[in-house]
Amino acid sequence: MEMTMKISEEQERKSKSAKLILLFAMVSMTMMFAGLTSAFVVSKSRPDWLKDFQLPIAFYFSTAVIIGCSVTFYLAKKAIQKGNRSATTAFLLTTLVLGVLFVILQFEGFAQIVERGYYFTGQGSSITTTFLYVVTVTHLLHLAGGLISLLIIIYNHFKQKYNATQTLGIELGAMYWHFLDLLWVLLFLFLYFFK
């Protein structure tokens, strides 16, 4: 009985520590994006700023897809907490597919911008498109970390490391994905309204 309590307390401490570290990482990422968006706002006063620039349609679709990622990851976490391994598998794999689709749609959005004659660097670029590129690529780099962690979570799930009482890896992954999803939605709204 006492041994079980010690293990439970140790797991609780480990869980709190891991969540706190992730929270600090998310705060630092938020500060970085706050700096980028502040520079974006300051640059809007430049005479070469594109006042009539419209976001590509692929960014709208990618926003819907990333919201779907949050839903499926949440459902995966709930399924493992209930001990439903097959549902957890389905929701984790769906999250992975949606995450990859998000990345594809982001690159499709870049292609749509270039098709309109706007470039991110070089002679045909503008400060507007360069900022858009920097903000979205920075988010994509953080999402790449999320995809890698999701692959590790899926691997660990298939190795049966998670169950109704051991969900820390899935919980941390879900926290990070929800953060990335919320971050993209806020960035999208920022880029949509602050033209």
Side-chain angles (χ1 to χ4, degrees):
M1 176 77 172
E2 190 176 313
M3 182 72 152
T4 307
M5 283 183 64
K6 282 185 179 179
I7 292 171
S8 178
E9 287 175 10
E10 187 177 321
Q11 284 179 334
E12 186 65 29
R13 277 197 306 273
K14 181 181 176 184
S15 173
K16 284 182 180 178
S17 296
K19 288 177 182 177
L20 189 59
I21 290 168
L22 180 58
L23 189 62
F24 281 131
M26 291 187 302
V27 167
S28 68
M29 288 178 231
T30 301
M31 298 299 286
M32 181 183 62
F33 280 99
L36 285 172
T37 53
S38 296
F40 188 94
V41 170
V42 169
S43 296
K44 277 180 49 175
S45 61
R46 290 175 49 134
D48 59 343
W49 190 263
L50 300 173
K51 305 281 187 229
D52 60 345
F53 181 79
Q54 299 295 318
L55 290 175
I57 194 73
F59 280 15
Y60 292 85
F61 290 120
S62 69
T63 303
V65 166
I66 204 163
I67 291 169
C69 282
S70 261
V71 172
T72 56
F73 219 139
Y74 171 80
L75 293 172
K77 185 177 88 166
K78 288 298 176 189
I80 197 65
Q81 289 171 340
K82 292 176 182 173
N84 189 340
R85 295 193 56 76
S86 61
T88 304
T89 302
F91 289 129
L92 286 174
L93 291 175
T94 303
T95 304
L96 178 63
V97 169
L98 290 174
V100 171
L101 181 58
F102 175 82
V103 172
I104 292 167
L105 286 168
Q106 292 285 281
F107 281 101
E108 177 59 28
F110 295 152
Q112 289 173 358
I113 292 169
V114 170
E115 284 172 12
R116 291 191 218 154
Y118 299 115
Y119 296 92
F120 303 107
T121 60
Q123 190 76 6
S125 69
S126 76
I127 190 68
T128 310
T129 54
T130 301
F131 260 113
L132 176 69
Y133 183 72
V134 168
V135 168
T136 53
V137 167
T138 304
H139 181 263
L140 282 172
L141 290 173
H142 288 89
L143 190 85
L147 285 170
I148 291 167
S149 68
L150 180 57
L151 287 169
I152 292 168
I153 289 166
I154 291 169
Y155 174 79
N156 286 337
H157 174 65
F158 282 120
K159 289 287 192 180
Q160 299 191 5
K161 292 190 177 184
Y162 305 120
N163 56 49
T165 59
Q166 172 50 22
T167 62
L168 181 60
I170 292 178
E171 285 181 50
L172 293 173
M175 278 177 65
Y176 186 65
W177 268 94
H178 295 324
F179 167 74
L180 288 175
D181 297 354
L182 178 63
L183 181 62
W184 173 254
V185 170
L186 292 175
L187 287 172
F188 176 80
L189 292 173
F190 174 81
L191 293 169
Y192 181 82
F193 287 109
F194 286 92
K195 296 176 185 173

